């Protein structure tokens, strides 16, 4: 063990020690090395010397060596077909056809599925004009590998080049038995057409469209008949194609080609029938090209009506697809119905309306029904205005009102439209019954208002009074209803009833717009010239609210009364208001009152009155305060204007101290400015 280790150590070569580690004077780069190698061309080997064969013995010796080399290569790897082909081609170059043939046969025993091998073998035979041998090879090839189209193409081409038309046809027939791809059939047809065999071509097409029953192949068959002048045959082919594909597998391209054929034959009515037949049966997404060609045809040969028909038909298909995709897309239904109403018979329109209203919203929530209910409204209006059928209109309204779930929600416009329809039909009892039912089932403000308006137009005031009573029982907080009721009584001249209604209204515990109601009541008393009543109303209102606008309105009323002492009463109200609002937190409202008072004194008061009001006017002061964000954190400071009234300043001595401090600061700034000015003057004089 130790000995082997010692021997291993001896075998390790010693690394030469570099004594001079200084850089060389001439540095060599990698680019320089490559350039030198290229210049010297060290890697290029000299060509082998040419060998000249002078006698037969040398030739035989050369052949023996080459054959031995080829055989060795084949023996090493029999499956490499390129070695076999090179070997056979070398033998062929020496005109040793029999040997080459033998090599190809041996190669086919190894791999008979190799397409290149068969092709090279047959090409060798054809190159050496061995026709029968070539035929034999092609026969074996197509028998062994019948799905390789290249063999069939080469075989038929060879027979045709040799002028053996019958033999080529026979090969084609053998090929067609295998039902090859479409191009093979086209090659056979073109072969027959090269020799003017149109009938044979037709027979091949008959078999072809059954083996490959595609639309494009039927169209090619028909165009073949048309090209050779057989229009009747072409039409029959198209008709057979339409029948063959039926309604389940319709294709727009077939109908477009059929229509263009008829267009070329000047059969315009036939064209129109074909397009309409196809459009009625093919879905819109698959009929884009069909629509396009139909439109072009109508523009070329049709009248205005025909063009409009195709456009309407196209849009109708589009809407049909939309409503099929989403039956609850009511906007699509509206567009579809608008189109149908403009250009269709009443029965068709009714059918579309019935389909549309059948799509009831699945959820009983009003927001889902808002668009849907307009389908019923449009349906009823169509029956009344376009179809002139009152009975059907009544049925539509009644059906819609039965469908709406009134316990959850209702549509007042539906009830009102039905009532207005019945009035137009001079059926007042029906209208009243409908509105009465609506109020009983689902009372709404809009229903009450509509019913009252109807009775007002009919001058049925007793009915209006009853309806208002019902209305106010339903919604006692609705100030507008109280005001309208009182206005009705005022118009009828019953002021006591109107006043009683107002009194009842303002005594309600809850009102939606009390300020509007009080204003209406006050205006009513002013119109009746009841000054004392109006004054009492203002006093009652001021007991409920101390709003500045009420005080100003009260003062304006006293001023406008025009009686003796009105100015004094107005001034007294302003003074009273000012005293009342001293404790008011809203300083802007008090300022508004004083400004109104000052305007009054400017117009009607003396100089002393004006001076007195001016002394009451506040001082405007800018202040700062902290601002808090929504989450409660500090958001910095903001400036705002505050108003300090003289009474407030007197009550707060700190404000006086603050004013004195501001005055002192101002005096100090002026003093400092005065001290700096002389220095500036001296500098200017020196300069």
């Amino acid at each position: 063990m130790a000995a082997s280790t010692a021997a291993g150590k001896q075998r390790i070569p010693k690394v030469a020690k570099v004594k001079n580690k200084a850089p060389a004077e001439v540095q060599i780069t990698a680019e320089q090395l490559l350039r030198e190698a290229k210049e010297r061309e060290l890697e290029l080997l000299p060509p082998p010397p040419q060998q000249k064969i002078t006698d037969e013995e040398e030739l035989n010796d050369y052949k023996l060596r080459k054959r031995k080399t080829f055989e060795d290569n084949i023996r090493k790897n029999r499956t490499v077909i390129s070695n076999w082909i090179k070997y056979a081609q070398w033998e062929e170059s020496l005109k040793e056809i029999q040997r080459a043939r033998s090599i190809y046969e041996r190669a086919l025993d190894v791999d008979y599925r190799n397409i290149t091998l068969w092709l090279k073998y047959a090409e060798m035979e054809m190159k050496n004009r061995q026709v029968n041998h070539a035929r034999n090879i092609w026969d074996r090839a197509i028998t062994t590998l019948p799905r390789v189209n290249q063999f069939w193409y080469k075989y038929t081409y060879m027979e045709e080049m040799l002028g053996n038309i019958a033999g080529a046809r026979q090969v084609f027939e053998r090929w067609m038995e295998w039902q090859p791809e479409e191009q093979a059939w086209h090659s056979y047809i073109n072969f027959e057409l090269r020799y003017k065999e149109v009938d044979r071509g037709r027979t091949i097409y008959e078999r072809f469209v059954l083996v490959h029953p595609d639309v494009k192949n039927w169209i090619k068959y028909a165009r073949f008949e048309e090209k050779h002048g057989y229009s009747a045959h072409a039409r029959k082919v198209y008709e057979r194609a339409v029948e063959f594909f039926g309604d389940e597998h319709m294709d727009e391209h077939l109908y477009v080609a059929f229509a263009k054929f008829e267009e070329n034959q000047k059969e315009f009515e036939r064209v129109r029938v074909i397009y309409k037949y196809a459009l009625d049966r093919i879905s819109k997404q698959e009929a884009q090209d069909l629509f396009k060609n139909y439109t072009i045809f109508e523009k070329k040969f049709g009248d205005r009506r025909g063009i409009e028909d195709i456009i309407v038909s196209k849009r109708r298909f589009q809407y049909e697809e939309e409503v099929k995709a989403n039956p609850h897309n009511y906007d699509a239904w509206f567009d579809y119905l608008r189109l149908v109403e403009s250009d269709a018979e009443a029965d068709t329109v009714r059918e579309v309306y019935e389909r549309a209203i059948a799509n009831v919203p699945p959820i009983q929530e009003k927001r889902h029904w808002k668009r849907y209910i307009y389908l019923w409204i449009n349906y009823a209006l169509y029956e009344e205005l376009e179809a002139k059928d009152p009975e059907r209109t009544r049925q539509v309204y009644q059906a819609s009102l039965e469908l709406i779930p009134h316990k959850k929600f209702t549509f007042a416009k539906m009830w009102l439209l039905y009532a207005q329809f019945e009035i137009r039909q001079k059926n007042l009892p029906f209208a009243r019954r409908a509105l009465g039912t609506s109020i009983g089932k689902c009372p709404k403000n809009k229903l009450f208002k509509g019913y009252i308006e109807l009775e007002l137009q009919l001058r049925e005031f007793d009915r209006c009074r009853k309806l208002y009573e019902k209305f106010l029982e339903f919604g006692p907080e609705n100030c507008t209803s109280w005001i309208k009721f009182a206005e009705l009584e005022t118009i009828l001249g019953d002021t006591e009833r109107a006043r009683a209604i107002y009194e009842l209204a303002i005594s309600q515990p809850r009102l939606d717009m009390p300020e509007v109601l009080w204003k209406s009541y006050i205006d009513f008393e002013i119109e009746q010239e009841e000054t004392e009543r109006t004054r009492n109303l203002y006093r009652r209102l001021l007991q409920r609210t101390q709003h500045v606008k009420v005080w100003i309105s009260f003062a304006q009323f006293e001023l406008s009364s025009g009686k003796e002492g009105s100015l004094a009463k107005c001034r007294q109200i302003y003074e009273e208001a000012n005293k009342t609002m001293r404790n008011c937190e809203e300083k802007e409202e008090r300022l508004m009152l004083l400004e109104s008072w000052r305007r009054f004194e400017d117009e009607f008061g003396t100089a002393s009155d004006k001076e007195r009001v001016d002394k009451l006017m506040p001082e405007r002061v800018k202040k700062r305060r902290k601002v808090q964000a929504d989450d409660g954190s500090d958001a910095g400071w903001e400036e705002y204007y505050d108003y300090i009234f003289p009474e407030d300043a007197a009550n707060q001595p700190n404000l006086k101290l603050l004013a004195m401090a501001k005055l002192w600061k101002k005096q100090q700034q002026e003093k400092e400015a005065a001290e700096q000015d002389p220095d500036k003057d001296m500098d200017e004089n020196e300069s």
Side-chain angles (χ1 to χ4, degrees), residues 63 159 506:
K63 287 180 181 178
E159 294 291 2
I506 61 176

Side-chain angles (χ1 to χ4, degrees), residues 193 198 202 221-235 261 265:
L193 292 178
V198 179
R202 184 180 295 117
Y221 184 14
R223 285 177 181 165
F224 159 80
E225 295 287 6
E226 184 183 1
K227 182 181 176 183
H228 292 90
Y230 297 100
S231 301
H233 283 232
R235 186 174 288 116
F261 162 74
Q265 304 301 317

Side-chain angles (χ1 to χ4, degrees), residues 157-178:
Y157 182 71
M158 183 190 81
E159 294 291 2
E160 190 175 358
M161 289 295 102
L162 293 171
N164 185 12
I165 307 304
R169 186 175 289 120
Q170 191 177 2
V171 175
F172 269 120
E173 284 296 331
R174 288 173 62 190
W175 190 7
M176 295 307 116
E177 288 174 5
W178 287 95

